[in-house]
Amino acid sequence: MHVLPLELHAQIFEFACTDNGTTARNLSLVSRYVRNVTAPYLYQSLVICGLDQMNELVARLDAVPAHLRRIRHLFLSDWTHAEVQKRSLALNSTEMDRYDAEKNAAMRILDYAAPTLETLALVVSCPYTAPPLVGHLFSVPLPRLVELSIHGFYPFPRTSGVMPKLERLHLSGNRNPHGLLQLGALEAACPNLAHLRLSDIALATAFAKELHAA
């Protein structure tokens, strides 16, 4: 440790911090020196699930300067795995307020991550949250994003040039994405797109004709 320059330590830590965030958090506990060197990579790679984790991350990101908020790789889910397994949709005011809080927290995280994000997996289990949240994502400039996976009912990207470097796109959750390939909206939003994968499609005759014509 003592014979290597700071720049080499920083490069090593950058390569090491590519898991769910655990490595960066553990390194930051080693010493003051290591904490300072790893600070730019603390949020480099994250797995965030559920409202509690989203709120905690938003609070942390609110408190740090922009150059320390470099989120490059993100898995973001509005519900935890346990909530997905057990939770049933409800329309009472308490649950609707929670859905709104989940959507707002996820939007805040996406806004913070957008300038530096390179890969994103977004899972939106709540059908009330999915369309506005994914629609918000498709309206935010993502200049460095190269890979995007979305699971949840999604609207189509319509804002031109928001994902100029996107190469790989996986969409899941819309059983009949009729219109996705029409009017050039997808091509305009993702001009560098090379791989498109669509999952969970069923009885989508109109889309099948659209795909055949494309």
Side-chain angles (χ1 to χ4, degrees), residues 127-148:
Y128 305 115
T129 301
L133 179 54
V134 178
H136 177 77
L137 172 67
F138 285 155
S139 70
V140 175
L142 297 156
R144 300 187 181 183
L145 191 69
V146 295
E147 184 170 345
L148 173 61

Side-chain angles (χ1 to χ4, degrees), residues 14-25 40-48 57 69-75 117 119:
E14 181 180 6
F15 290 149
C17 299
T18 56
D19 55 3
N20 62 358
T22 300
T23 298
R25 290 192 297 272
Y41 316 114
L42 187 59
Y43 304 105
Q44 176 174 259
S45 182
L46 297 173
V47 173
I48 303 297
L57 179 60
R69 294 197 300 254
R70 295 192 300 177
I71 303 173
R72 294 175 56 194
H73 311 287
L74 175 63
F75 177 96
L117 201 57
T119 66

Side-chain angles (χ1 to χ4, degrees), residues 178 204-214:
H178 177 53
T205 303
F207 179 71
K209 294 178 180 179
E210 177 185 333
L211 184 61
H212 185 265

Side-chain angles (χ1 to χ4, degrees), residues 190-211:
C190 320
N192 204 39
L193 189 65
H195 304 278
L196 174 62
R197 177 185 175 191
L198 302 173
S199 302
D200 295 333
I201 294 176
L203 302 176
T205 303
F207 179 71
K209 294 178 180 179
E210 177 185 333
L211 184 61

Side-chain angles (χ1 to χ4, degrees), residues 118-165:
E118 297 174 17
T119 66
L120 170 63
L122 178 63
V123 179
V124 193
S125 299
C126 177
Y128 305 115
T129 301
L133 179 54
V134 178
H136 177 77
L137 172 67
F138 285 155
S139 70
V140 175
L142 297 156
R144 300 187 181 183
L145 191 69
V146 295
E147 184 170 345
L148 173 61
S149 178
I150 294 175
H151 180 75
F153 188 81
Y154 53 87
F156 305 148
R158 299 193 181 278
T159 305
S160 178
V162 289
M163 295 175 280
K165 293 187 177 180

Side-chain angles (χ1 to χ4, degrees), residues 24-213:
R25 290 192 297 272
N26 289 341
L27 284 170
S28 69
L29 300 175
V30 172
S31 68
R32 181 177 298 176
Y33 170 77
V34 174
R35 181 170 65 250
N36 291 336
V37 177
T38 58
Y41 316 114
L42 187 59
Y43 304 105
Q44 176 174 259
S45 182
L46 297 173
V47 173
I48 303 297
C49 301
L51 183 59
D52 291 342
Q53 287 190 3
M54 289 194 292
N55 282 339
E56 181 180 354
L57 179 60
V58 168
R60 289 177 178 270
L61 295 177
D62 282 342
V64 297
H67 72 280
L68 297 180
R69 294 197 300 254
R70 295 192 300 177
I71 303 173
R72 294 175 56 194
H73 311 287
L74 175 63
F75 177 96
L76 180 62
S77 174
D78 60 338
W79 291 0
T80 65
H81 179 71
E83 288 173 333
V84 171
Q85 297 298 314
K86 299 179 181 178
R87 198 164 176 180
S88 59
L89 289 174
L91 295 177
N92 61 69
S93 60
T94 300
E95 285 300 301
M96 293 302 293
D97 286 345
R98 184 176 178 88
Y99 302 151
D100 197 47
E102 292 165 348
K103 177 194 68 179
N104 291 336
M107 285 182 176
R108 291 282 303 281
I109 293 171
L110 293 172
D111 288 344
Y112 273 133
T116 56
L117 201 57
E118 297 174 17
T119 66
L120 170 63
L122 178 63
V123 179
V124 193
S125 299
C126 177
Y128 305 115
T129 301
L133 179 54
V134 178
H136 177 77
L137 172 67
F138 285 155
S139 70
V140 175
L142 297 156
R144 300 187 181 183
L145 191 69
V146 295
E147 184 170 345
L148 173 61
S149 178
I150 294 175
H151 180 75
F153 188 81
Y154 53 87
F156 305 148
R158 299 193 181 278
T159 305
S160 178
V162 289
M163 295 175 280
K165 293 187 177 180
L166 189 70
E167 298 177 0
R168 295 177 294 278
L169 175 61
H170 178 202
L171 299 174
S172 171
N174 189 334
R175 291 183 176 272
N176 184 16
H178 177 53
L180 177 64
L181 305 179
Q182 294 180 345
L183 304 178
L186 182 61
E187 183 179 357
C190 320
N192 204 39
L193 189 65
H195 304 278
L196 174 62
R197 177 185 175 191
L198 302 173
S199 302
D200 295 333
I201 294 176
L203 302 176
T205 303
F207 179 71
K209 294 178 180 179
E210 177 185 333
L211 184 61
H212 185 265

